[in-house]
Amino acid sequence: VPEFKPELGSVLRAQILEACLGFCVSLLSALPSLTTPQVSFSESDIPSSESTELPVDWSIKTRLLFTSSQPFTWADHLKAQEEAQGIIQHCRATEVTLPQSIQDPKLSTELRCAFQQSLIYWLHPAFSWLPLFPRIGADRKMAGKISPWSNDETLQHILMSDWSVSFTSLYNLLKTKLCPYFYVCTYQFTILFRAAGLAGNDVITALISPTTRGIREAMKNEGIEFSLPLIKEDGYEKKKTPGTSLGNGGEQVISDDDEDEGFSWLEEMGVQDKIKKPDVLSIKLRKEKHEVQMDHKPESVVLVKGMNTLTLLNFLINSKSLIASSGPQAGLPPTLLSPVAFRGATMQMLKARSVNVKTQAVSGYKDQFSLEITGPVMPHSLHSVTMLLKSSQNGSFSAGLYTHEPTSVFNICLPVNRVLHKETLHEELGNCGLHSKTLDQLSQTPALGKSSLRHVELRDFVFNWRS
Protein backbone atom coordinates (compact mmCIF):
# COMPACT_ATOMS: atom_id res chain seq x y z
CA VAL A 1 0.00 0.00 0.00
CA PRO A 2 1.51 3.37 -0.94
CA GLU A 3 2.44 5.65 1.93
CA PHE A 4 -0.13 8.29 2.85
CA LYS A 5 1.39 11.80 2.49
CA PRO A 6 0.34 14.18 5.26
CA GLU A 7 1.83 17.15 3.43
CA LEU A 8 -0.92 17.17 0.77
CA GLY A 9 -3.06 19.51 2.89
CA SER A 10 -6.34 19.17 4.74
CA VAL A 11 -8.63 20.10 1.78
CA LEU A 12 -6.95 17.68 -0.59
CA ARG A 13 -6.98 14.97 2.07
CA ALA A 14 -10.74 15.37 2.41
CA GLN A 15 -11.15 14.95 -1.36
CA ILE A 16 -9.04 11.80 -1.32
CA LEU A 17 -11.05 10.31 1.51
CA GLU A 18 -14.26 11.06 -0.38
CA ALA A 19 -12.95 9.48 -3.60
CA CYS A 20 -11.53 6.41 -1.90
CA LEU A 21 -14.58 5.96 0.40
CA GLY A 22 -14.26 3.24 2.99
CA PHE A 23 -10.96 1.92 1.62
CA CYS A 24 -9.03 5.07 2.56
CA VAL A 25 -10.75 5.24 5.95
CA SER A 26 -9.67 1.70 6.81
CA LEU A 27 -6.19 2.41 5.43
CA LEU A 28 -5.79 5.44 7.68
CA SER A 29 -6.99 3.60 10.75
CA ALA A 30 -4.45 0.86 10.12
CA LEU A 31 -1.49 3.23 9.77
CA PRO A 32 0.53 4.30 12.82
CA SER A 33 0.40 7.91 13.94
CA LEU A 34 1.76 10.27 11.32
CA THR A 35 2.82 12.88 13.82
CA THR A 36 6.50 12.85 14.72
CA PRO A 37 7.16 14.29 18.18
CA GLN A 38 9.46 17.28 18.20
CA VAL A 39 12.64 16.58 20.12
CA SER A 40 14.15 19.41 22.13
CA PHE A 41 17.37 19.33 24.07
CA SER A 42 17.58 21.18 27.32
CA GLU A 43 20.82 22.61 28.62
CA SER A 44 21.28 19.63 30.92
CA ASP A 45 20.98 17.21 27.96
CA ILE A 46 24.11 18.59 26.29
CA PRO A 47 27.17 16.72 27.56
CA SER A 48 30.08 18.66 29.00
CA SER A 49 33.55 18.53 27.45
CA GLU A 50 37.12 18.71 28.74
CA SER A 51 40.22 20.31 27.23
CA THR A 52 43.17 22.54 28.08
CA GLU A 53 41.58 25.19 25.82
CA LEU A 54 38.04 26.48 25.44
CA PRO A 55 36.22 26.18 22.10
CA VAL A 56 35.74 29.38 20.15
CA ASP A 57 32.51 31.19 21.02
CA TRP A 58 31.39 33.90 18.58
CA SER A 59 28.38 35.01 20.61
CA ILE A 60 28.45 38.29 22.54
CA LYS A 61 28.25 37.90 26.30
CA THR A 62 26.46 40.48 28.45
CA ARG A 63 27.89 39.28 31.78
CA LEU A 64 30.64 37.03 33.11
CA LEU A 65 30.61 35.84 36.72
CA PHE A 66 33.80 34.11 37.88
CA THR A 67 34.07 32.39 41.28
CA SER A 68 37.19 31.05 42.94
CA SER A 69 38.67 30.04 46.29
CA GLN A 70 41.42 32.59 45.57
CA PRO A 71 40.62 36.32 45.94
CA PHE A 72 40.14 38.67 42.97
CA THR A 73 41.14 41.78 44.91
CA TRP A 74 44.11 42.25 42.56
CA ALA A 75 41.59 43.35 39.89
CA ASP A 76 40.35 46.31 41.97
CA HIS A 77 41.62 49.86 42.25
CA LEU A 78 44.30 49.92 39.58
CA LYS A 79 46.94 52.58 40.01
CA ALA A 80 46.96 55.45 37.52
CA GLN A 81 50.19 54.17 36.00
CA GLU A 82 48.77 50.63 35.61
CA GLU A 83 45.63 51.94 33.94
CA ALA A 84 47.67 54.09 31.56
CA GLN A 85 50.00 51.20 30.78
CA GLY A 86 47.06 48.89 30.04
CA ILE A 87 45.61 51.41 27.58
CA ILE A 88 48.96 51.86 25.83
CA GLN A 89 49.42 48.08 25.61
CA HIS A 90 46.03 47.81 23.94
CA CYS A 91 46.66 50.65 21.48
CA ARG A 92 50.06 49.21 20.53
CA ALA A 93 48.74 45.62 20.47
CA THR A 94 51.44 44.58 22.95
CA GLU A 95 51.42 40.83 23.48
CA VAL A 96 51.75 39.95 27.17
CA THR A 97 52.66 36.42 28.20
CA LEU A 98 52.15 35.61 31.87
CA PRO A 99 53.66 32.69 33.81
CA GLN A 100 51.44 29.62 34.25
CA SER A 101 50.82 30.49 37.90
CA ILE A 102 51.27 33.80 39.74
CA GLN A 103 52.01 33.36 43.45
CA ASP A 104 50.92 36.85 44.58
CA PRO A 105 48.61 38.42 41.95
CA LYS A 106 48.14 41.62 43.98
CA LEU A 107 51.82 42.44 43.58
CA SER A 108 51.91 41.64 39.85
CA THR A 109 51.83 44.92 37.94
CA GLU A 110 52.12 42.96 34.70
CA LEU A 111 48.90 41.06 35.50
CA ARG A 112 46.95 44.19 36.45
CA CYS A 113 48.03 46.05 33.29
CA ALA A 114 47.12 43.04 31.13
CA PHE A 115 43.70 42.86 32.83
CA GLN A 116 43.08 46.53 32.00
CA GLN A 117 44.15 45.83 28.42
CA SER A 118 41.66 42.94 28.08
CA LEU A 119 38.66 45.08 29.11
CA ILE A 120 38.97 47.65 26.29
CA TYR A 121 36.66 47.71 23.27
CA TRP A 122 35.62 50.29 20.66
CA LEU A 123 32.13 51.61 20.03
CA HIS A 124 30.20 53.88 17.64
CA PRO A 125 28.02 55.84 18.19
CA ALA A 126 28.60 56.65 21.86
CA PHE A 127 26.24 58.55 24.18
CA SER A 128 27.09 58.22 27.86
CA TRP A 129 23.44 58.45 28.98
CA LEU A 130 22.17 55.87 26.51
CA PRO A 131 22.82 52.08 26.62
CA LEU A 132 23.85 51.10 23.08
CA PHE A 133 24.11 47.36 23.60
CA PRO A 134 22.12 45.22 23.25
CA ARG A 135 19.86 46.86 20.66
CA ILE A 136 17.41 43.99 20.10
CA GLY A 137 14.67 44.28 22.73
CA ALA A 138 16.22 47.42 24.23
CA ASP A 139 13.18 49.70 23.88
CA ARG A 140 12.24 49.38 27.56
CA LYS A 141 15.73 50.35 28.77
CA MET A 142 15.86 53.28 26.34
CA ALA A 143 12.37 54.55 27.09
CA GLY A 144 12.41 57.97 28.71
CA LYS A 145 16.03 58.68 27.73
CA ILE A 146 16.86 61.94 25.99
CA SER A 147 17.07 61.45 22.21
CA PRO A 148 17.20 64.85 20.46
CA TRP A 149 17.51 63.20 17.03
CA SER A 150 14.18 61.32 17.19
CA ASN A 151 12.23 64.19 15.57
CA ASP A 152 15.09 66.07 13.94
CA GLU A 153 15.75 64.88 10.37
CA THR A 154 18.83 67.09 10.01
CA LEU A 155 20.43 65.58 13.09
CA GLN A 156 19.47 62.08 11.92
CA HIS A 157 21.19 62.73 8.60
CA ILE A 158 24.37 63.89 10.38
CA LEU A 159 24.38 60.82 12.66
CA MET A 160 23.86 58.47 9.72
CA SER A 161 26.58 60.19 7.68
CA ASP A 162 29.08 59.78 10.54
CA TRP A 163 27.96 56.18 11.02
CA SER A 164 28.51 55.38 7.33
CA VAL A 165 32.08 56.72 7.56
CA SER A 166 32.77 54.58 10.65
CA PHE A 167 31.19 51.47 9.10
CA THR A 168 33.22 51.87 5.90
CA SER A 169 36.38 52.42 7.96
CA LEU A 170 35.78 49.18 9.86
CA TYR A 171 35.15 47.21 6.67
CA ASN A 172 38.36 48.53 5.10
CA LEU A 173 40.31 47.52 8.21
CA LEU A 174 38.73 44.07 8.00
CA LYS A 175 39.50 43.76 4.29
CA THR A 176 43.18 44.61 4.87
CA LYS A 177 43.27 42.19 7.86
CA LEU A 178 44.00 44.96 10.37
CA CYS A 179 40.71 44.23 12.15
CA PRO A 180 39.83 40.58 12.89
CA TYR A 181 36.05 41.00 13.19
CA PHE A 182 33.31 43.41 14.20
CA TYR A 183 29.59 43.47 14.95
CA VAL A 184 26.78 45.63 13.58
CA CYS A 185 23.90 45.68 16.10
CA THR A 186 20.56 46.98 14.83
CA TYR A 187 17.19 47.05 16.56
CA GLN A 188 16.11 44.05 14.42
CA PHE A 189 19.18 41.92 13.80
CA THR A 190 22.93 41.57 14.46
CA ILE A 191 25.68 41.10 11.85
CA LEU A 192 29.07 39.50 12.49
CA PHE A 193 31.75 40.40 9.93
CA ARG A 194 34.87 38.17 10.08
CA ALA A 195 38.17 38.62 8.28
CA ALA A 196 39.46 35.98 5.86
CA GLY A 197 41.27 33.25 7.80
CA LEU A 198 38.97 33.21 10.84
CA ALA A 199 36.47 30.46 11.71
CA GLY A 200 38.01 28.21 9.05
CA ASN A 201 37.07 30.45 6.09
CA ASP A 202 39.57 31.85 3.58
CA VAL A 203 37.32 34.78 2.54
CA ILE A 204 35.50 37.57 4.38
CA THR A 205 32.21 36.32 5.81
CA ALA A 206 29.15 38.06 7.25
CA LEU A 207 26.48 36.30 9.31
CA ILE A 208 23.12 38.04 9.81
CA SER A 209 20.66 36.88 12.48
CA PRO A 210 17.77 36.85 12.88
CA THR A 211 16.35 37.76 9.47
CA THR A 212 12.90 38.09 7.93
CA ARG A 213 11.57 37.32 4.49
CA GLY A 214 11.41 41.06 3.81
CA ILE A 215 15.13 41.53 4.53
CA ARG A 216 16.08 38.51 2.44
CA GLU A 217 13.96 39.68 -0.49
CA ALA A 218 15.51 43.17 -0.29
CA MET A 219 19.00 41.61 -0.36
CA LYS A 220 18.05 39.51 -3.39
CA ASN A 221 16.77 42.59 -5.19
CA GLU A 222 20.13 44.31 -4.56
CA GLY A 223 21.95 41.39 -6.18
CA ILE A 224 23.51 40.14 -2.94
CA GLU A 225 24.24 36.43 -3.16
CA PHE A 226 23.68 34.67 0.14
CA SER A 227 22.82 31.30 1.61
CA LEU A 228 20.88 29.99 4.59
CA PRO A 229 23.46 27.69 6.27
CA LEU A 230 20.89 25.90 8.43
CA ILE A 231 18.60 25.27 5.45
CA LYS A 232 19.66 23.07 2.54
CA GLU A 233 18.92 24.94 -0.65
CA ASP A 234 17.53 23.27 -3.77
CA GLY A 235 16.92 26.00 -6.32
CA TYR A 236 14.30 28.36 -4.94
CA GLU A 237 12.95 25.85 -2.44
CA LYS A 238 14.52 24.98 0.89
CA LYS A 239 14.38 21.66 2.68
CA LYS A 240 14.74 21.36 6.42
CA THR A 241 18.09 20.02 7.59
CA PRO A 242 18.26 17.47 10.41
CA GLY A 243 18.03 19.07 13.83
CA THR A 244 16.39 22.32 12.71
CA SER A 245 12.80 23.37 13.18
CA LEU A 246 11.05 25.90 10.97
CA GLY A 247 7.97 26.23 13.08
CA ASN A 248 6.41 25.34 16.39
CA GLY A 249 4.87 22.31 14.79
CA GLY A 250 8.12 21.12 13.25
CA GLU A 251 6.73 21.33 9.71
CA GLN A 252 9.00 20.66 6.76
CA VAL A 253 9.43 22.91 3.75
CA ILE A 254 8.56 20.84 0.69
CA SER A 255 10.29 21.00 -2.68
CA ASP A 256 8.63 20.72 -6.09
CA ASP A 257 9.96 17.15 -6.46
CA ASP A 258 8.28 16.17 -3.21
CA GLU A 259 5.05 17.72 -4.50
CA ASP A 260 5.13 15.52 -7.63
CA GLU A 261 5.99 12.42 -5.60
CA GLY A 262 2.95 13.14 -3.44
CA PHE A 263 0.61 12.41 -6.35
CA SER A 264 2.32 9.32 -7.80
CA TRP A 265 0.54 6.92 -5.46
CA LEU A 266 -2.85 8.29 -6.59
CA GLU A 267 -2.11 6.95 -10.08
CA GLU A 268 -1.41 3.53 -8.59
CA MET A 269 -4.85 3.61 -6.98
CA GLY A 270 -6.48 4.80 -10.23
CA VAL A 271 -8.10 7.88 -8.70
CA GLN A 272 -5.75 10.57 -10.00
CA ASP A 273 -8.43 12.04 -12.29
CA LYS A 274 -10.90 12.49 -9.41
CA ILE A 275 -8.48 14.54 -7.29
CA LYS A 276 -7.92 18.23 -7.96
CA LYS A 277 -4.23 19.07 -7.68
CA PRO A 278 -3.22 22.38 -6.05
CA ASP A 279 -2.68 25.15 -8.58
CA VAL A 280 0.57 27.13 -8.93
CA LEU A 281 -0.78 29.97 -6.77
CA SER A 282 -1.65 27.62 -3.90
CA ILE A 283 1.78 26.06 -3.99
CA LYS A 284 3.43 29.51 -4.03
CA LEU A 285 1.35 30.68 -1.07
CA ARG A 286 2.34 27.61 0.91
CA LYS A 287 6.03 28.19 0.10
CA GLU A 288 5.76 31.78 1.29
CA LYS A 289 4.07 30.60 4.49
CA HIS A 290 6.99 28.31 5.29
CA GLU A 291 9.50 31.07 4.54
CA VAL A 292 7.74 33.37 6.97
CA GLN A 293 7.62 30.59 9.60
CA MET A 294 11.39 30.68 10.05
CA ASP A 295 11.52 34.49 10.40
CA HIS A 296 13.08 35.74 13.65
CA LYS A 297 14.34 32.23 14.43
CA PRO A 298 17.99 31.01 14.49
CA GLU A 299 17.25 29.03 11.31
CA SER A 300 16.84 32.32 9.45
CA VAL A 301 20.57 33.13 9.80
CA VAL A 302 22.01 34.37 6.50
CA LEU A 303 25.60 33.90 5.26
CA VAL A 304 27.25 36.35 2.85
CA LYS A 305 30.76 35.61 1.56
CA GLY A 306 33.59 37.23 -0.35
CA MET A 307 32.92 40.31 -2.50
CA ASN A 308 29.21 40.07 -1.75
CA THR A 309 30.04 41.50 1.67
CA LEU A 310 31.00 44.77 -0.05
CA THR A 311 27.60 44.84 -1.77
CA LEU A 312 26.07 44.13 1.64
CA LEU A 313 27.97 47.12 3.06
CA ASN A 314 26.48 49.46 0.45
CA PHE A 315 23.04 47.92 0.93
CA LEU A 316 23.15 48.52 4.69
CA ILE A 317 24.36 52.10 4.34
CA ASN A 318 21.46 52.93 1.99
CA SER A 319 18.78 50.80 3.69
CA LYS A 320 16.06 52.77 5.47
CA SER A 321 14.95 49.66 7.37
CA LEU A 322 18.24 49.69 9.28
CA ILE A 323 16.99 52.41 11.62
CA ALA A 324 13.78 52.38 13.65
CA SER A 325 11.23 54.94 12.46
CA SER A 326 9.40 55.09 15.77
CA GLY A 327 9.86 54.24 19.43
CA PRO A 328 12.80 54.92 21.78
CA GLN A 329 15.36 53.88 19.11
CA ALA A 330 13.91 56.09 16.36
CA GLY A 331 16.60 57.79 14.27
CA LEU A 332 19.49 56.09 16.11
CA PRO A 333 22.07 54.37 13.85
CA PRO A 334 23.12 50.76 14.60
CA THR A 335 25.84 50.08 17.17
CA LEU A 336 29.29 49.17 15.84
CA LEU A 337 31.43 47.00 18.16
CA SER A 338 35.08 46.25 17.43
CA PRO A 339 38.19 44.93 19.24
CA VAL A 340 40.34 47.58 17.49
CA ALA A 341 40.12 51.32 16.90
CA PHE A 342 38.41 52.70 13.80
CA ARG A 343 37.39 56.08 12.48
CA GLY A 344 34.85 57.80 14.73
CA ALA A 345 35.09 55.13 17.43
CA THR A 346 35.09 55.76 21.18
CA MET A 347 37.21 53.69 23.56
CA GLN A 348 35.08 51.93 26.17
CA MET A 349 35.80 49.69 29.15
CA LEU A 350 33.99 46.60 30.34
CA LYS A 351 32.95 47.06 33.98
CA ALA A 352 34.66 44.76 36.49
CA ARG A 353 34.12 44.41 40.22
CA SER A 354 35.12 41.80 42.80
CA VAL A 355 32.97 40.60 45.69
CA ASN A 356 33.91 38.47 48.71
CA VAL A 357 31.20 36.38 50.40
CA LYS A 358 30.90 33.60 52.98
CA THR A 359 29.33 30.36 51.79
CA GLN A 360 28.11 27.48 53.90
CA ALA A 361 30.20 24.32 53.81
CA VAL A 362 30.14 20.97 55.65
CA SER A 363 32.60 22.19 58.29
CA GLY A 364 31.07 25.67 58.67
CA TYR A 365 31.63 28.69 56.44
CA LYS A 366 34.29 29.28 53.82
CA ASP A 367 35.38 32.28 51.78
CA GLN A 368 34.03 32.48 48.25
CA PHE A 369 35.44 35.13 45.93
CA SER A 370 33.80 36.36 42.74
CA LEU A 371 34.62 38.67 39.85
CA GLU A 372 31.81 40.13 37.74
CA ILE A 373 32.43 41.61 34.29
CA THR A 374 29.56 43.33 32.46
CA GLY A 375 29.20 44.93 29.04
CA PRO A 376 29.42 43.64 25.48
CA VAL A 377 32.02 40.90 26.03
CA MET A 378 33.31 39.95 22.59
CA PRO A 379 35.16 36.69 21.78
CA HIS A 380 38.67 38.12 22.12
CA SER A 381 37.89 39.57 25.56
CA LEU A 382 36.44 36.28 26.80
CA HIS A 383 39.58 34.44 25.72
CA SER A 384 41.95 37.09 27.13
CA VAL A 385 40.23 37.22 30.53
CA THR A 386 40.16 33.42 30.91
CA MET A 387 43.88 33.24 30.03
CA LEU A 388 44.66 35.85 32.71
CA LEU A 389 42.53 34.16 35.36
CA LYS A 390 44.12 30.82 34.60
CA SER A 391 47.39 32.31 35.83
CA SER A 392 46.05 34.48 38.66
CA GLN A 393 43.76 31.84 40.21
CA ASN A 394 46.31 28.98 40.09
CA GLY A 395 44.44 27.09 37.39
CA SER A 396 41.16 26.85 39.29
CA PHE A 397 37.91 28.81 38.88
CA SER A 398 34.34 28.47 37.62
CA ALA A 399 32.32 30.91 35.52
CA GLY A 400 28.76 31.57 34.50
CA LEU A 401 28.51 33.11 31.02
CA TYR A 402 25.42 35.12 30.07
CA THR A 403 24.82 35.30 26.32
CA HIS A 404 22.99 37.81 24.14
CA GLU A 405 20.83 35.03 22.69
CA PRO A 406 20.38 36.33 19.10
CA THR A 407 24.17 35.94 18.64
CA SER A 408 24.40 32.26 19.74
CA VAL A 409 23.76 31.11 16.17
CA PHE A 410 27.07 32.69 15.08
CA ASN A 411 28.71 29.50 16.39
CA ILE A 412 27.39 27.35 13.54
CA CYS A 413 29.93 25.50 11.43
CA LEU A 414 30.13 26.90 7.90
CA PRO A 415 31.31 25.10 4.73
CA VAL A 416 35.11 25.33 4.52
CA ASN A 417 36.86 25.63 1.13
CA ARG A 418 40.47 25.88 2.24
CA VAL A 419 41.98 25.78 5.73
CA LEU A 420 44.89 28.18 6.26
CA HIS A 421 48.04 26.85 7.90
CA LYS A 422 48.93 28.30 11.28
CA GLU A 423 52.06 29.99 9.92
CA THR A 424 50.13 31.58 7.04
CA LEU A 425 47.41 32.74 9.42
CA HIS A 426 49.87 34.49 11.75
CA GLU A 427 51.63 36.06 8.79
CA GLU A 428 48.43 37.45 7.27
CA LEU A 429 46.60 38.41 10.49
CA GLY A 430 49.63 39.16 12.64
CA ASN A 431 48.80 42.89 12.72
CA CYS A 432 45.10 42.59 13.54
CA GLY A 433 45.61 43.56 17.17
CA LEU A 434 45.00 40.19 18.84
CA HIS A 435 47.22 38.04 21.03
CA SER A 436 48.67 35.13 19.03
CA LYS A 437 46.89 32.57 21.24
CA THR A 438 43.59 34.42 20.83
CA LEU A 439 44.14 34.46 17.07
CA ASP A 440 44.74 30.69 17.14
CA GLN A 441 41.44 30.17 18.95
CA LEU A 442 39.42 32.41 16.62
CA SER A 443 40.82 30.61 13.59
CA GLN A 444 39.25 27.34 14.77
CA THR A 445 36.20 25.98 13.01
CA PRO A 446 33.20 26.71 15.31
CA ALA A 447 31.85 23.59 17.01
CA LEU A 448 29.10 24.84 19.35
CA GLY A 449 26.36 24.93 16.69
CA LYS A 450 23.38 27.12 17.59
CA SER A 451 24.36 27.11 21.27
CA SER A 452 27.05 28.99 23.19
CA LEU A 453 29.18 28.53 26.30
CA ARG A 454 27.03 28.79 29.44
CA HIS A 455 29.22 27.40 32.19
CA VAL A 456 32.99 26.97 32.40
CA GLU A 457 34.99 25.27 35.12
CA LEU A 458 38.78 25.13 35.35
CA ARG A 459 40.39 22.51 37.59
CA ASP A 460 44.13 21.88 37.59
CA PHE A 461 44.43 23.91 34.36
CA VAL A 462 41.89 21.71 32.55
CA PHE A 463 38.67 23.29 31.26
CA ASN A 464 35.27 21.65 31.58
CA TRP A 465 32.40 23.47 29.89
CA ARG A 466 28.71 23.20 29.18
CA SER A 467 26.77 24.86 26.38
Side-chain angles (χ1 to χ4, degrees):
V1 178
E3 182 185 357
F4 187 80
K5 298 280 185 176
E7 65 266 19
L8 292 177
S10 57
V11 176
L12 187 57
R13 191 182 302 122
Q15 292 177 344
I16 293 171
L17 291 175
E18 184 179 354
C20 299
L21 298 175
F23 171 75
C24 286
V25 174
S26 61
L27 175 64
L28 284 171
S29 63
L31 286 174
S33 174
L34 295 169
T35 304
T36 303
Q38 199 172 5
V39 180
S40 62
F41 294 92
S42 66
E43 190 174 312
S44 59
D45 293 325
I46 302 172
S48 59
S49 304
E50 287 188 358
S51 174
T52 54
E53 293 291 336
L54 287 174
V56 61
D57 188 344
W58 286 101
S59 66
I60 306 177
K61 307 299 180 186
T62 56
R63 180 173 177 248
L64 309 178
L65 183 60
F66 296 93
T67 56
S68 172
S69 58
Q70 304 291 324
F72 290 100
T73 50
W74 57 266
D76 289 333
H77 310 299
L78 270 66
K79 297 175 183 177
Q81 185 178 354
E82 292 170 337
E83 182 177 338
Q85 184 63 35
I87 292 173
I88 289 299
Q89 286 176 188
H90 168 82
C91 293
R92 296 177 180 173
T94 305
E95 188 168 308
V96 178
T97 302
L98 298 172
Q100 185 182 34
S101 182
I102 300 173
Q103 296 304 316
D104 195 345
K106 204 168 184 179
L107 298 177
S108 176
T109 300
E110 190 179 28
L111 169 66
R112 290 156 67 88
C113 292
F115 182 65
Q116 171 81 359
Q117 179 182 356
S118 68
L119 298 179
I120 296 173
Y121 67 97
W122 296 85
L123 174 80
H124 180 89
F127 304 105
S128 56
W129 71 91
L130 201 61
L132 289 166
F133 179 84
R135 295 291 296 272
I136 296 175
D139 284 2
R140 183 178 296 178
K141 286 186 178 181
M142 289 188 177
K145 303 287 185 181
I146 299 173
S147 52
W149 50 80
S150 57
N151 296 312
D152 190 331
E153 289 189 9
T154 303
L155 189 51
Q156 287 180 19
H157 178 76
I158 293 170
L159 287 175
M160 194 60 195
S161 178
D162 289 345
W163 182 86
S164 301
V165 170
S166 294
F167 186 22
T168 305
S169 169
L170 258 180
Y171 183 83
N172 289 336
L173 287 167
L174 188 88
K175 188 177 178 181
T176 53
K177 299 184 178 178
L178 296 175
C179 172
Y181 67 89
F182 66 90
Y183 294 88
V184 181
C185 308
T186 79
Y187 76 105
Q188 286 184 306
F189 53 84
T190 306
I191 311 174
L192 167 60
F193 282 86
R194 289 187 291 218
L198 295 188
N201 276 273
D202 61 348
V203 295
I204 294 175
T205 58
L207 284 169
I208 312 172
S209 177
T211 64
T212 62
R213 182 170 176 266
I215 294 170
R216 296 190 295 271
E217 287 296 326
M219 289 172 61
K220 278 183 187 177
N221 294 337
E222 288 296 318
I224 301 171
E225 294 182 14
F226 64 87
S227 62
L228 296 165
L230 295 180
I231 308 294
K232 286 184 180 177
E233 295 199 326
D234 179 16
Y236 178 76
E237 272 308 302
K238 306 167 185 71
K239 292 183 180 180
K240 191 182 76 170
T241 55
T244 61
S245 171
L246 302 185
N248 294 331
E251 294 179 88
Q252 288 186 354
V253 179
I254 305 158
S255 69
D256 294 331
D257 292 338
D258 292 334
E259 196 73 54
D260 293 336
E261 290 173 6
F263 294 105
S264 60
W265 68 281
L266 297 176
E267 296 180 8
E268 297 177 25
M269 296 179 64
V271 295
Q272 72 275 12
D273 295 332
K274 299 180 182 180
I275 304 301
K276 182 182 178 182
K277 295 184 181 181
D279 56 22
V280 176
L281 179 60
S282 299
I283 294 174
K284 184 179 179 182
L285 288 173
R286 198 169 82 219
K287 289 176 182 178
E288 290 179 355
K289 174 191 172 186
H290 284 293
E291 281 207 353
V292 171
Q293 277 183 336
M294 70 177 182
D295 286 357
H296 304 292
K297 294 183 173 65
E299 287 77 17
S300 68
V301 63
V302 160
L303 169 65
V304 182
K305 300 178 71 174
M307 289 306 297
N308 281 287
T309 57
L310 179 59
T311 313
L312 175 64
L313 167 82
N314 294 321
F315 166 74
L316 292 171
I317 288 175
N318 297 305
S319 176
K320 291 185 178 179
S321 62
L322 203 65
I323 300 176
S325 57
S326 61
Q329 299 192 57
L332 185 62
T335 301
L336 300 174
L337 291 172
S338 168
V340 299
F342 58 96
R343 190 172 173 182
T346 303
M347 178 186 285
Q348 301 286 330
M349 300 284 298
L350 299 172
K351 295 178 181 177
R353 68 185 186 102
S354 65
V355 180
N356 304 336
V357 295
K358 295 280 187 180
T359 58
Q360 194 166 8
V362 178
S363 57
Y365 289 89
K366 66 175 184 178
D367 289 324
Q368 187 72 34
F369 305 97
S370 65
L371 175 68
E372 182 186 48
I373 298 176
T374 55
V377 184
M378 290 182 277
H380 75 286
S381 293
L382 177 61
H383 184 258
S384 298
V385 170
T386 52
M387 280 201 308
L388 292 176
L389 297 187
K390 187 191 289 188
S391 296
S392 69
Q393 308 308 115
N394 293 320
S396 179
F397 67 79
S398 62
L401 313 180
Y402 299 81
T403 305
H404 179 47
E405 288 305 330
T407 63
S408 290
V409 74
F410 293 154
N411 287 315
I412 59 173
C413 181
L414 303 176
V416 178
N417 297 327
R418 179 173 63 92
V419 179
L420 294 178
H421 293 292
K422 190 174 181 179
E423 295 77 12
T424 307
L425 181 72
H426 282 279
E427 183 181 342
E428 294 185 359
L429 285 164
N431 294 321
C432 73
L434 298 183
H435 192 287
S436 58
K437 289 186 178 179
T438 303
L439 186 57
D440 286 340
Q441 194 210 37
L442 298 185
S443 65
Q444 296 174 12
T445 302
L448 294 173
K450 292 185 290 182
S451 62
S452 60
L453 293 177
R454 310 284 176 181
H455 180 77
V456 171
E457 190 166 351
L458 181 69
R459 289 287 178 267
D460 297 324
F461 297 94
V462 175
F463 283 107
N464 186 294
W465 69 85
R466 190 176 294 277
S467 59

